Amino acid sequence: GAGRAQEAALSADDFKLLDTFEGHELTKSDRLFAAKDYRSAGAAYEAFLIQYPKSKATAYAVLRKGRCLHLGNKRFEAIKAYTEVLDYFPNAINYAGAALYYIGACHSENGNLEDAIPMADKEAARRGFITVAKTIPMGSTQLWTRVNSLDSPWFLDDMIEIVTKAGDKFDVIMIPKVEGPEDIHYVDRLLAQLEARAGLKKPILLHAILETARGVANVEEICGASPRMQGISLGPADLAANRRMKTTRVGGGHPDYIVRQDPTGDDYQGARATYQQDLWHYTMARMVDACVMHGVLPFYGPFGDIKDVVACEDQFRNAYLLGCVGAWSLHPVQIDIAKKVFSPRPQDVAQAQRVIDAMGDGTGAIMLDGKMEDDASVKQCKVVVELARQLAARDPHLAGLYGF
């Protein structure tokens, strides 16, 4: 977890770039941090940033300020500091990598080598990500990567380089644009050969991304194509293009996808209420059913409008209610939204536990608050309570909210 991973340190070469006064102030801050006086250390790093805003150690000081907040149980303030490192110092790979890890503590980190990387930078991105995987300790956080698609000139090199050079660091490889079980069969065999070459003892799992109509049509077969299958995500943008859907949005709804209230009498031109519909309901429901049938995990994919946090939460909640276990975060602002949505509300957990307790051995039927509850109700309630217990085991804050 956050307190157990090796801390990112300022290198000796970088320290030599500081003037005498900068070095003195930073050393004082580091000593307070080493003594676990996080409140005083955080204040010292903040004072350093105010006094030396253009220091060569700015990224390091911002990261350490975030660590002080994190270790002082001020998680939301810490995420803001970590996000500053990513926003303003993305090329400071040691600090940016550490910030990514801490933002994603207890969540999976995903190194994207596919759509987000320009063609000219594919090989450099791969090398850089392998370096991060080998040098940044992940603790209990899983490390995933999304490689290039099977029909690209980079896929084979992605697999060979990642598995043979850092395969022991990876938990899941995401395969984009999977269209049928034959794609998973190919990757499964290739992985087995590369794992044997690298001497890996733990198999790397596979996560397929649904981005074509053919992939959706074959989703049941894809889910059952290999014991390595960990999960499936919906890729709405590529899927929309493949289906010839007339939307330029990345996930979410569309204001023109509506149903309209019936007219009053023959007044067809009069004002009538309209209700926006969910473009992705059918696809998500089919994906969830296929995943449950084969024991793999369904995820909603990206929501592209970063600034519309309200609609992002709505889309994530739709996925949560349908049975998805998580969603992608394209920006740090979406991480807390995902954590909030995919963690049952405390009042929902309390009500579910109340129904379970009232039902006794879980058989028969009762009336509770004017509602019929029976064995099916107990099964539904256990889904909520068991998820809450799994989350509480990893998050003391949630454990307190749930009363566990």
Side-chain angles (χ1 to χ4, degrees):
R4 293 195 295 271
Q6 178 182 344
E7 299 290 345
L10 188 70
S11 70
D13 289 340
D14 287 344
F15 189 83
K16 291 177 182 177
L17 299 175
L18 307 182
D19 67 32
T20 302
F21 297 105
E22 285 180 278
H24 175 74
E25 292 299 320
L26 200 60
T27 298
K28 183 173 68 175
S29 304
D30 286 345
R31 285 174 179 165
L32 290 169
F33 186 88
K36 299 183 179 181
D37 184 356
Y38 300 123
R39 179 179 300 218
S40 299
Y45 288 121
E46 180 66 28
F48 176 88
L49 290 166
I50 293 171
Q51 189 169 0
Y52 305 105
K54 296 183 179 180
S55 171
K56 298 294 185 182
T58 300
Y60 169 77
V62 174
L63 178 68
R64 275 296 175 93
K65 183 182 78 170
R67 293 297 293 128
C68 292
L69 293 166
H70 196 163
L71 294 166
N73 293 318
K74 294 183 178 180
R75 183 168 54 86
F76 296 109
E77 293 92 335
I79 287 174
K80 292 179 182 178
Y82 297 146
T83 303
E84 287 182 24
V85 178
L86 296 176
D87 286 346
Y88 298 111
F89 310 99
N91 294 324
I93 189 168
N94 287 343
Y95 310 131
L100 271 174
Y101 165 68
Y102 291 124
I103 287 175
C106 298
H107 292 270
S108 47
E109 291 296 314
N110 180 9
N112 182 6
L113 303 179
E114 195 212 8
D115 290 348
I117 308 299
M119 286 192 293
D121 297 331
K122 294 286 189 181
E123 294 183 6
R126 184 194 307 129
R127 289 194 301 270
F129 185 56
I130 289 171
T131 299
V132 169
K134 293 170 69 174
T135 58
I136 301 297
M138 302 304 291
S140 61
T141 301
Q142 289 192 341
L143 182 63
W144 297 20
T145 183
R146 175 163 61 131
V147 296
N148 288 282
S149 61
L150 275 70
D151 59 355
S152 77
W154 303 285
F155 168 77
L156 189 57
D157 286 339
D158 284 345
M159 296 294 291
I160 293 172
E161 295 285 308
I162 288 169
V163 177
T164 59
K165 293 184 177 179
D168 59 320
K169 305 296 184 182
F170 286 88
D171 297 278
V172 179
I173 293 179
M174 304 178 80
I175 309 298
K177 301 175 181 64
V178 174
E179 296 207 293
E182 66 278 2
D183 291 342
I184 299 300
H185 295 159
Y186 167 64
V187 180
D188 187 352
R189 291 188 177 187
L190 177 61
L191 258 181
Q193 293 171 330
L194 295 174
E195 287 168 343
R197 177 190 293 184
L200 302 184
K201 303 301 182 184
K202 185 183 75 170
I204 298 172
L205 302 182
L206 294 176
H207 185 107
I209 309 176
L210 290 186
E211 300 180 273
T212 67
R214 185 167 178 262
V216 175
N218 291 324
V219 64
E220 290 85 0
E221 290 81 4
I222 292 169
C223 285
S226 167
R228 294 181 188 270
M229 282 298 296
Q230 177 271 351
I232 289 196
S233 287
L234 172 64
D238 277 294
L239 179 56
N242 186 256
R243 282 175 167 171
R244 297 193 293 275
M245 295 169 64
K246 310 309 183 288
T247 175
T248 58
R249 300 180 175 202
V250 178
H254 194 286
D256 294 337
Y257 194 69
I258 61 172
V259 293
R260 190 180 301 270
Q261 190 177 53
D262 287 347
T264 301
D266 293 331
D267 185 12
Y268 296 105
Q269 302 303 319
R272 290 187 269 167
T274 60
Y275 306 91
Q276 188 170 317
Q277 304 296 291
D278 185 356
L279 282 167
W280 305 108
H281 179 86
Y282 159 76
T283 306
M284 274 200 291
R286 181 166 182 181
M287 179 183 74
V288 169
D289 285 347
C291 287
V292 171
M293 181 170 70
H294 288 282
V296 302
L297 302 175
F299 291 76
Y300 178 73
F303 184 87
D305 193 343
I306 306 301
K307 67 182 182 299
D308 194 348
V309 294
V310 175
C312 177
E313 181 171 338
D314 292 339
Q315 183 67 78
F316 283 7
R317 194 168 300 283
N318 287 348
Y320 167 76
L321 290 171
L322 275 175
C324 290
V325 302
W328 297 14
S329 295
L330 296 183
H331 186 277
V333 73
Q334 295 180 342
I335 292 176
D336 279 333
I337 298 173
K339 292 184 71 173
K340 172 185 175 183
V341 169
F342 289 93
S343 304
R345 299 184 183 102
Q347 61 267 33
D348 294 339
V349 177
Q351 176 61 19
Q353 188 62 58
R354 184 165 172 256
V355 172
I356 293 170
D357 293 341
M359 278 294 295
D361 65 1
T363 61
I366 63 170
M367 290 290 288
L368 185 65
D369 300 331
K371 299 176 182 178
M372 187 277 292
E373 309 286 1
D374 61 5
D375 61 330
S377 307
V378 172
K379 293 173 186 174
Q380 290 177 286
C381 291
K382 284 183 176 179
V383 169
V384 175
V385 173
E386 288 172 6
L387 173 58
R389 290 194 179 279
Q390 290 173 7
L391 295 173
R394 299 172 65 102
D395 190 329
H397 176 68
L398 283 178
L401 292 178
Y402 296 149
F404 292 155

